[in-house]
Amino acid sequence: SSALFQIDWSHMQQTVFLSGCSTSFISNAGKARIRGGELEVSGQPLAGVPLTVQFGLGYSDAKLLDPGLLPQAPNTPLAQVPRLTGSIAGYYRTPISKKLALFIAADYSYTASVRVVNSEGGFFTRQPFNIVNGNIGLSFGNSEFLIYGKNLLNKHLNYGDLYANGFERKEMVDGVLQRLPRAAVSRPRQIGVQYRLNF
């Protein structure tokens, strides 16, 4: 499957930071245009082997045409929108007895560099990153027992230093009260055991 698209976005919701203080407000202003495409291919590449593979690729050209109230030049890249994304996933399942089946799954995703909001109301560039997940388990009847791993490469991603409209954490630094960075970050590596009951 594939798709081509263009999004014309006006009156964007923006968080506007007031210079010289920690106050911000939400406004609808500015215009952006996003053009891109997506491609997805899935199937069983080997005859007689119960392996399903899925591949995806995405491209986006996102521009902030009118910055509105943001301190950003017009016709520059839109924040939080990577130019290139890709993924590949595989799922293998085979019976090992009349009532028991073994399954193995893994997926890999790539995201290109992207502009991320910082705590000063500006931007920084987050470098490209890769995420790997996987699991292995047994299925019997409506039940599944599995061992899983998420973010196996233990990538720590900063999604932006986003402040709430209410109270903010602050500390005294050299006699000046400063707010603490509160970056929204991804979860670290997780490895666990799970039981699932499917209806």
Side-chain angles (χ1 to χ4, degrees):
S1 63
S2 62
L4 296 175
F5 59 85
Q6 175 169 317
I7 301 170
D8 296 309
W9 188 6
S10 60
H11 304 292
M12 302 163 50
Q13 190 175 73
Q14 300 178 348
T15 300
V16 182
F17 293 87
L18 300 179
S19 61
C21 66
S22 61
T23 304
S24 66
F25 64 93
I26 305 294
S27 176
N28 290 88
K31 294 181 181 179
R33 184 193 66 216
I34 306 171
R35 293 174 175 166
E38 298 174 346
L39 173 67
E40 183 178 291
V41 179
S42 61
Q44 292 183 299
L46 303 174
V49 178
L51 172 66
T52 302
V53 176
Q54 186 174 38
F55 170 79
L57 186 64
Y59 172 82
S60 294
D61 180 22
K63 287 187 177 180
L64 185 65
L65 302 179
D66 176 2
L69 302 175
L70 295 179
Q72 184 177 344
N75 296 312
T76 54
L78 189 64
Q80 303 281 14
V81 182
R83 186 172 289 270
L84 184 65
T85 58
S87 65
I88 186 169
Y91 180 76
Y92 176 83
R93 182 185 179 96
T94 185
I96 56 177
S97 71
K98 290 184 178 181
K99 296 184 178 181
L100 202 61
L102 170 71
F103 62 88
I104 302 172
D107 61 83
Y108 164 84
S109 63
Y110 168 83
T111 302
S113 62
V114 64
R115 290 164 57 89
V116 177
V117 178
N118 68 15
S119 59
E120 302 300 323
F123 302 90
F124 70 90
T125 299
R126 186 180 66 205
Q127 297 303 308
F129 65 89
N130 310 286
I131 296 289
V132 176
N133 306 304
N135 63 65
I136 182 171
L138 297 172
S139 174
F140 45 96
N142 292 331
S143 298
E144 290 181 343
F145 179 81
L146 60 105
I147 299 172
Y148 68 86
K150 297 180 180 180
N151 190 14
L152 292 173
L153 299 177
N154 202 30
K155 296 293 184 178
H156 298 275
L157 312 177
N158 189 328
Y159 291 118
D161 294 332
L162 306 176
Y163 293 92
N165 292 328
F167 295 102
E168 298 174 354
R169 296 172 57 222
K170 297 183 179 182
E171 70 176 4
M172 193 67 70
V173 178
D174 296 328
V176 179
L177 193 62
Q178 296 183 2
R179 63 186 181 184
L180 297 175
R182 188 176 61 205
V185 297
S186 62
R187 293 183 177 181
R189 180 190 298 120
Q190 301 174 52
I191 298 176
V193 178
Q194 186 177 41
Y195 170 77
R196 296 192 295 220
L197 182 60
N198 303 313
F199 295 98

